């Protein structure tokens, strides 16, 4: 009997909020690697908000999935068969693979990970794409100076939690928005944020900002959009920088949503607003990974992962991103 | 009998669209210069959209006017009394003065103008603040590269008409939005714009852009805001730059207006949107003035002024900016 590989397929395009019908679990034979490929037994699988964009039938920075495609994302796992001289069976690697128990990866497109340096899920979070997004987004687009006030939305998420800590290491006052007391406590008590606002506990984000960021906002790192962003834009200081990393509040909108116009608000402060995509910094990923690993090893940056057990629950892990179920990086533990 | 100086005072703060009640013409004695001051007989007076912001009771980049203040703006005129060694009676100068027949100016804050090089009104337009705004806004914020498509709103205005011509000198494809056939004809037939869209003749700005800017938009120089800007944002290319110079469509709004959210549109193209204020480039004004004068002298940049005759009609000249009465720079001819 052939060994079986369970994989998640794209079942149907969502209209508005996705649900379980968008996902279809199938059993296939475990695939065989070609020359230069590795067969990896998936330990952890990453679910990320940007994947919602791949469910749309329109070109964006990430190619859209077609119905019937195997879903793809960041994975970390163990090499069980190698057709490449670069990696041996038993190595742990990370790369972009399938939402599956076993995934084929091109040896040229993976990186070795060391389970002694950090737990495997960290390689999908602080030491993976979200950590690098925080690193380049904050430092290159946000350009924080000591004494600046940095505001982060989605602050308890995989990217936001790292952004805030890097801002603290740069001598900034850091204010985070998050949607639960457990999250805001984590930000202030463990991660060293100067203030955190539970946006589900107040309607008046402007007043909350006046208290948490009395000197205004020099850098805004936006993962969310919506009313939080509307409020922050009224507090931008002269020469403020806004890094637009994500807009999760709008990913399930069918039409381009409306809101207060922001361009009139940019002139007086001469604020700069810039869309951010980590792939643009690919040639410098080594620098970021090294620095982040150093900070993690020294305890200067802390990290947390929310783990959903079982490949069969991967869709729920993904859907939970939109209701803010996760604290830190959301991953799926695939291997039994 | 003392010589009389007619001056426009700020009569009342407008709610929404300003009207003549905001302006009050009074007769005062002609003022006497103190040490270091010049008495200037005003030849031409500038009216500019940004002045609407000074009518608000809120701090912005330009200090708000108080009711009872003499209105201020760019002027060009002849020195009739000098208490400074820098300028002689008979010199023509430009600076910020009063909406009046005679204005006192600090000799340190004016610049000599040469009526032989260009007609006096040009010193309030292409060779004045609007020209410098176009120069720095396009070159520093817009950062145009040869082959880029540059879109300008308010393209037949004082700033936009210069922006488009500098973009052409930089090897760009240039598309302008304006609100009259006489304006669009001026842009394409005289100024060398590749295309011009009369936004009053179509509702579908997206389709008009698809035709006029088939390769998308690399640089957007925005003087207007509103639905034109909404359409341009759907066409931004990778690494697009948006210079937010003005938002005249919204200056009379009492509440922050709503519209399609733009931040979600910035991520895929990694677009950069930046508020622009020419005062930030004050140390480089000499460079701009010299370059603009060279271009004007060689005929590489053309300019046009709309002249309203008579100080008594200055409010109408200002109010006309919001209905697009002007082609090129709007000035008021003060001297009989």
């Amino acid at each position: 009997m052939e060994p079986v590989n369970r994989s998640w397929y794209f079942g149907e395009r969502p209209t508005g909020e996705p649900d379980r019908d968008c996902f279809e679990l199938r059993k296939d034979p475990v695939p065989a690697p070609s020359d230069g490929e590795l067969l990896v037994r998936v330990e952890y699988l990453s679910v990320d908000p940007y994947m919602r964009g791949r469910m749309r039938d329109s070109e964006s920075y990430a190619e859209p999935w077609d119905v019937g495609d195997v879903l793809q994302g960041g994975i970390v796992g163990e090499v069980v068969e190698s057709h490449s001289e670069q990696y041996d069976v038993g190595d742990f690697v990370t790369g972009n693979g399938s939402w599956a128990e076993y995934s084929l990866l091109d040896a040229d497109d993976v990186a070795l990970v060391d389970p002694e340096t950090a737990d495997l899920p960290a390689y999908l979070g602080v030491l993976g794409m979200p950590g690098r997004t925080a690193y380049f987004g904050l430092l290159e687009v946000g350009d924080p100076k000591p004494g600046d006030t940095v505001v982060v939305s989605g602050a308890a998420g995989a990217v936001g939690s790292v952004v805030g800590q890097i801002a603290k290491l740069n001598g900034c006052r850091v204010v985070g928005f998050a949607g639960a007391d457990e999250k805001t406590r984590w930000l202030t008590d463990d991660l060293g944020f100067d203030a955190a606002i539970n946006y589900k506990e107040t309607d008046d984000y402007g007043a909350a900002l006046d208290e948490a960021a009395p000197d205004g906002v020099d850098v805004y790192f936006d993962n969310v959009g919506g009313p939080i962003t509307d409020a922050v834009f009224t507090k931008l200081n002269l020469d403020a920088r806004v890094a637009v990393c994500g807009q999760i509040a709008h990913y399930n909108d069918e039409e381009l949503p409306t809101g207060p116009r922001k361009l009139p608000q940019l002139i007086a402060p001469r604020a700069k607003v810039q869309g951010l995509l980590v792939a643009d910094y690919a040639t410098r990923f080594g620098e970021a990974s090294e620095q982040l690993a150093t900070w993690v090893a020294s305890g200067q940056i802390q990290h947390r992962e929310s783990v959903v057990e079982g490949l069969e629950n991967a869709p729920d892990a993904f859907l939970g991103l939109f209701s803010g179920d996760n604290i830190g990086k959301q991953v799926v533990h695939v291997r039994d």
Side-chain angles (χ1 to χ4, degrees), chain A:
Chain A
M1 219 180 72
E2 267 187 329
V4 162
N5 186 29
R6 292 187 302 159
S7 301
W8 280 106
Y9 284 74
F10 190 32
E12 66 176 43
R13 287 199 197 285
T15 304
E17 200 166 337
D19 59 24
R20 297 252 347 189
D21 290 342
C22 301
F23 305 88
E24 195 185 322
L25 192 62
R26 295 193 207 162
K27 290 179 182 176
D28 299 305
V30 171
S34 310
D35 266 8
E37 286 187 333
L38 311 171
L39 180 67
V40 174
R41 181 161 56 194
V42 179
E43 293 275 348
Y44 291 91
L45 167 65
S46 179
V47 290
D48 301 274
Y50 82 87
M51 293 168 174
R52 178 63 182 82
R54 301 195 69 177
M55 294 183 163
R56 291 185 188 276
D57 186 19
S58 60
E59 209 50 60
S60 182
Y61 55 89
E63 214 179 326
W65 284 321
D66 288 327
V67 169
D69 281 352
V70 177
L71 300 180
Q72 302 285 316
I75 64 163
V76 59
E78 185 179 356
V79 177
V80 292
E81 195 177 341
S82 175
H83 286 210
S84 159
E85 290 180 355
Q86 298 174 260
Y87 298 96
D88 297 320
V89 170
D91 283 346
F92 284 89
V93 296
T94 184
N96 264 299
S98 302
W99 289 29
E101 290 166 302
Y102 292 89
S103 181
L104 288 179
L105 289 103
D106 193 315
D108 289 337
D109 296 337
V110 304
L112 195 68
V113 306
D114 179 5
E116 304 293 312
T117 302
D119 290 341
L120 290 178
Y123 289 97
L124 299 176
V126 63
L127 300 179
M129 184 272 288
R132 293 190 291 266
T133 302
Y135 181 89
F136 291 110
L138 179 68
L139 297 178
E140 296 299 320
V141 181
D143 191 20
K145 312 281 193 304
D148 277 355
T149 294
V150 176
V151 173
V152 189
S153 62
V159 176
S161 58
V162 180
V163 167
Q165 293 180 86
I166 298 177
K168 284 307 298 177
L169 290 170
N170 278 268
C172 301
R173 176 177 179 83
V174 178
V175 177
F177 279 91
D181 287 341
E182 188 188 354
K183 294 179 179 181
T184 56
R185 273 197 307 271
W186 182 50
L187 298 178
T188 53
D189 297 358
D190 295 336
L191 303 191
F193 280 51
D194 296 282
I197 299 165
N198 181 342
Y199 67 84
K200 292 185 178 163
E201 300 258 303
T202 177
D203 283 335
D204 192 345
Y205 305 150
L209 277 168
D210 285 339
E211 191 173 327
D215 298 328
V217 178
D218 300 295
V219 178
Y220 177 43
F221 193 104
D222 190 12
N223 295 302
V224 173
I228 292 171
T229 296
D230 299 340
V232 176
F233 266 69
T234 67
K235 311 290 180 190
L236 297 179
N237 286 338
L238 188 66
D239 293 324
R241 287 84 65 196
V242 177
V244 186
C245 178
Q247 296 278 285
I248 196 170
H250 306 300
Y251 288 170
N252 292 329
D253 291 337
E254 282 304 295
E255 306 280 330
L256 189 64
T258 59
R261 286 183 180 275
K262 296 185 169 49
L263 269 51
Q265 301 176 311
L266 299 183
I267 299 177
R270 285 83 108 180
K272 186 179 79 177
V273 183
Q274 195 165 358
L276 159 69
L277 215 62
V278 69
D280 292 339
Y281 300 93
T283 58
R284 292 174 57 196
F285 278 179
E287 164 201 332
S289 297
E290 198 174 318
Q291 179 63 75
L292 287 160
T294 303
W295 280 330
V296 168
S298 67
Q300 287 174 286
I301 285 194
Q302 297 181 46
H303 60 98
R304 190 161 160 176
E305 293 83 29
S306 293
V307 181
V308 159
E309 288 294 334
L311 179 68
E312 63 279 11
N313 295 315
D316 295 325
F318 173 72
L319 299 174
L321 295 171
F322 298 93
S323 41
D325 292 354
N326 56 306
I327 300 188
K329 177 69 186 111
Q330 182 65 57
V331 297
V332 179
H333 189 198
V334 175
R335 192 176 180 183
D336 284 336

